[in-house]
Amino acid sequence: MKKTRFTEAQIMGVLRQMEGGVPAVELCREHGMSSATLYKWRAKYGGMDASLISEMKAMAEENRRLKRMYADVTMKNDLLKEALRKK
């Protein structure tokens, strides 16, 4: 997965500037990003503060870890069923 070059605090700062009335084109030029990125951030992080963003990322990482664990357990279960069926 591509790593972002902006931290949560920087993203929140840019979104606050946008809410403050700074035009999107000027923000994009100032921070060196595309307008699509800015609007994706607004859709994803709009109305959140920095603590909510970090909590959301932590929950996403925990979800990834749990999905991986579930896949491992399911695979082991299938292997055991197959081994028992052969006997």
Side-chain angles (χ1 to χ4, degrees), residues 6 9-10 16 29 31 34 45 56-58 71 73-74 81:
F6 295 99
Q10 290 173 326
R16 274 193 218 106
R29 190 177 326 115
H31 295 284
S34 69
Y45 302 119
M56 182 182 73
K57 287 190 179 214
V73 169
T74 304
K81 283 182 180 178

Side-chain angles (χ1 to χ4, degrees), residues 6-24 27-28 30-31 33-50 53 56:
F6 295 99
T7 64
E8 291 95 12
Q10 290 173 326
I11 292 171
M12 292 308 302
V14 171
L15 290 177
R16 274 193 218 106
Q17 286 179 341
M18 188 174 184
E19 290 171 0
V22 178
L27 280 174
C28 293
E30 179 182 328
H31 295 284
M33 61 186 188
S34 69
S35 60
T37 301
L38 182 64
Y39 290 116
K40 282 181 187 177
W41 286 352
R42 189 177 70 176
K44 189 172 183 179
Y45 302 119
M48 292 187 183
D49 59 353
I53 290 175
M56 182 182 73

Side-chain angles (χ1 to χ4, degrees), residues 39-72:
Y39 290 116
K40 282 181 187 177
W41 286 352
R42 189 177 70 176
K44 189 172 183 179
Y45 302 119
M48 292 187 183
D49 59 353
S51 64
L52 286 175
I53 290 175
S54 59
E55 184 178 329
M56 182 182 73
K57 287 190 179 214
M59 290 176 79
E61 181 59 37
E62 176 73 10
N63 194 18
R64 247 183 257 115
R65 188 182 64 80
L66 290 173
K67 283 181 180 180
R68 197 174 311 121
M69 285 175 48
Y70 177 76
D72 290 342

